[in-house]
Amino acid sequence: MTKNVKQQAGEAKHPLEDLVRMDRIPHIWCSGCGIGSVFSSCLTAIKNTGIDYSKFAMVSGIGCSGRGAGYINIDSFHTTHGRAIPFATGIKMANPDINVIVFSGDGDLFAIGGNHFIHAARRNMDITVICVNNMIYGMTGGQVAATTPYLARSATTEAGNPESPFNLPLLAYAAGATYIARWTMLHTRDLADAIVAAIHRKGFSFIEVLSPCPINYGRRNKEKSIDTLKNYHDKTIIKNGADPVTLDIDYGKGVILGKFVDIDKPTHDEKYRKIYLREKE
Amino acid sequence: MKSAVLTGEHFINGDEACAEGAIAAGCMFFAGYPITPATEVAEQMALRLPDVGGTFIQMEDEIAAMTCILGSAWTGAKSMTATSGPGFSLMMETVGLAVVTETPCVVVNVQRSGPSTGLPTQGAQADMMQAKWGSHGDYEIIAIAPSSPQEMFNLTITAFNLSETYRVPVFIMSDEIVGHMSEKVVIPPAGKIRTVSRPKPKGRKENFKPYAPGPKGVAPMPAIGEGYNVHVTGLTHDEKGYPVMSVDTQKEMMARLLGKIRNNLQDIILTEDYQLADAEIVLISYGVAARTSYTAVQTARRMGIKAGLLRLITVWPFPDDRIQALAEQVKAFVTVEINMGQICREVQRCAQGRARTYFVGHPGGAIIPPADVMAAIKEAMQAK
């Protein structure tokens, strides 16, 4: 029995709809913003793991990317600025069965929250941290971030940024992360696959996702959204296993994407339980 | 491996008694950061939590410690942290998150002298207003002040019970003197200890409203992993937990947050009367300062002065009605506290000019000598 085509179309659902709080749509992200694409890849990844949705929790901090937790239809926590990782740590250590995903921005995770990032990586806390790196404080109107390129213009560096940005994968590597990758929001499938791998990888996983902020970064730096996407397409090199030292973001020489670290190390909850609760690993 | 309740008589300090109270109350998670004079609470929790299958973690700072216990609390675990002045200051932003997300947690502040690094090894009671007002915005919390190691045990259990009942942060406002004082602590049999756990939701999980108030104005609280798909945010939110940037939602949310405390004062407020029935001069005191006040009342009584003590066990919410009622009967209030004037302001407010108010304070670092209190009592007696 063939159903009416229109009726079929009417019944069609977006394949990720069960993971979205549809009653909260439309979202707040601007036209040309990349966060939605990163968020979609994240939802696809969660679906593709095959793990029951009730075994996930998403934690965000504050900022545009920090709104991610507000749209995903699982247990989700929109915390304070910079503190998604310690909140996630509390969840993981109290209930290791939960797959905890931190979804937040570069300002949140690496300026105000930088200390928590390095310590969670050092402990090998078994969480997955997805950083949407748009190189700027978007929600507050485009102030310089710890990831803003040298000499880039922002609302607080009108004549150019005098500071140097973090190389985030290098930082994660130095702090002890067991899975490290970088993709752009254009590489949706690679990104979704990386997130699946990061969720399955026991230990502290970190994925940096380059993503445009046309309103607050692009506008000031004469870079249209399409220019940024062209950079992501034309001036990136996929090089798995690249030396983290080479991963600074410089489109002049090409920006390296890929999986840089994927190693097996006991996690903090495994070690705590083994040493203190006398459980076998 | 020891059990959760170490029934028997112990000679331990207040910090250790606090940790034993937490374990007896069912605490299963502690995140902390070392700070004098609260470190022993963390050390004892690190030692004892494995006995009950619980988890201890030492975080990178107090901000992380406070945030960590909110995450653990949402898995269903009764959770606690302990700190002192500088750490308490760092925790303040997250206290607001705990209030607005209605996350049960217990925060121990073993107070030391400030401001800033102050006298790290010497006691004070100068964070009392910070406990009430330290985080931004309007809110209600519960703060309890133990006067002895025994009370550090008993009132830590009370703190957990109140926190779980009202889904609110509860502060144990101890001080270095009580924290480091060793006394006999009697731990009753487990069966004699009343413990309370947060209300849990029943029924449909679809369209569940995590902030729809139940009895006492408190919403049932699901745990992560139970399938309720809760959204929890520090933004102003409706009963569904969704952010709504409107004045109406703000009004509704604030009424709920404040109401669950303000409408249950009878159930929350704990005070102790000592020689109050016929008192003309009423000392108001809490925590270690109350120990000075007992002595002062006894001395005054021997001199024929009708003095009494109202000891505040819960300092917040403040017992407005009780002090207003006493103000109609007594000549004067004398507030005794180790700070330069904090709770005495509340007493003055509640006295409403119907009784005189005096203040015996101390800048911190030592207990208040009873003689200082006696001087104020005499002054109050002589006042026309």
Side-chain angles (χ1 to χ4, degrees), chain B residues 14-15 18 30 35-39 41 62 66 80-92 95 106-114 120 122-132 134 142-146 152 156 159 170-180 286-288 316 342:
Chain B
D15 284 354
C18 173
F30 183 99
I35 187 166
T36 305
T39 307
V41 181
E62 287 90 345
M66 182 68 210
M80 180 167 97
T81 187
T83 189
S84 189
F88 200 55
S89 295
L90 285 177
M91 289 178 181
M92 280 299 135
V95 166
V106 173
V107 179
V108 185
N109 180 354
V110 187
Q111 295 170 88
R112 64 193 224 184
S113 303
Q122 289 162 264
Q125 298 178 301
D127 306 344
M128 300 309 296
M129 283 293 175
Q130 188 183 17
K132 178 71 183 80
I142 298 171
I144 300 180
M152 287 289 266
T156 300
V170 176
F171 297 120
I172 299 173
M173 298 301 290
S174 183
D175 59 81
E176 184 277 332
I177 304 157
V178 170
H180 282 165
Y286 53 91
V288 72
W316 305 115
Q342 296 195 10

Side-chain angles (χ1 to χ4, degrees), chain B residues 36-54:
Chain B
T36 305
T39 307
E40 294 88 341
V41 181
E43 288 176 351
Q44 189 70 7
M45 291 305 280
L47 198 65
R48 288 283 281 131
L49 272 169
D51 290 341
V52 294

Side-chain angles (χ1 to χ4, degrees), chain A residues 214-233:
Chain A
I215 304 295
N216 282 315
Y217 184 86
R219 203 163 40 101
R220 283 193 182 81
N221 291 287
K222 310 256 181 296
E223 192 178 302
K224 289 183 178 154
S225 212
I226 191 71
D227 302 329
T228 316
L229 299 195
K230 275 181 181 160
N231 277 346
Y232 293 167
H233 186 265

Side-chain angles (χ1 to χ4, degrees), chain A residues 34-35 37-39 41 130-133 135 181-192 194-195 207-212 228-238 249 251 255-258 260:
Chain A
I35 300 169
S37 300
V38 184
F39 187 65
S41 291
I130 300 167
C131 174
V132 182
N133 183 3
M135 304 177 167
R182 174 195 279 156
W183 294 101
T184 81
M185 46 70 71
L186 204 59
H187 297 76
T188 50
R189 288 190 184 175
D190 298 293
L191 175 59
I195 297 171
I207 301 172
E208 176 186 20
V209 192
L210 304 179
S211 176
T228 316
L229 299 195
K230 275 181 181 160
N231 277 346
Y232 293 167
H233 186 265
D234 300 340
K235 296 178 184 172
T236 55
I237 307 150
I238 296 173
I249 295 175
Y251 287 104
V255 171
I256 299 171
L257 309 178
F260 311 122

Side-chain angles (χ1 to χ4, degrees), chain B residues 9 28 43 106 116 126 152 226 255 263 271 319 341 380:
Chain B
E9 288 186 5
M28 289 294 276
E43 288 176 351
V106 173
S116 192
M152 287 289 266
E226 288 178 347
N263 299 329
T271 55

Side-chain angles (χ1 to χ4, degrees), chain B residues 6 9 17 52 95 115 122 135 145 157 163 201 211 218 220 232-233 237-238 247 270 276 284 312 346 359:
Chain B
L6 303 182
E9 288 186 5
V52 294
V95 166
Q122 289 162 264
S135 196
I157 297 168
S163 178
Y211 296 107
V218 184
V232 175
T233 177
H237 48 266
D238 59 15
V247 175
L270 296 165
L276 258 192
I284 307 279
L312 310 180
E346 291 296 294
F359 167 58

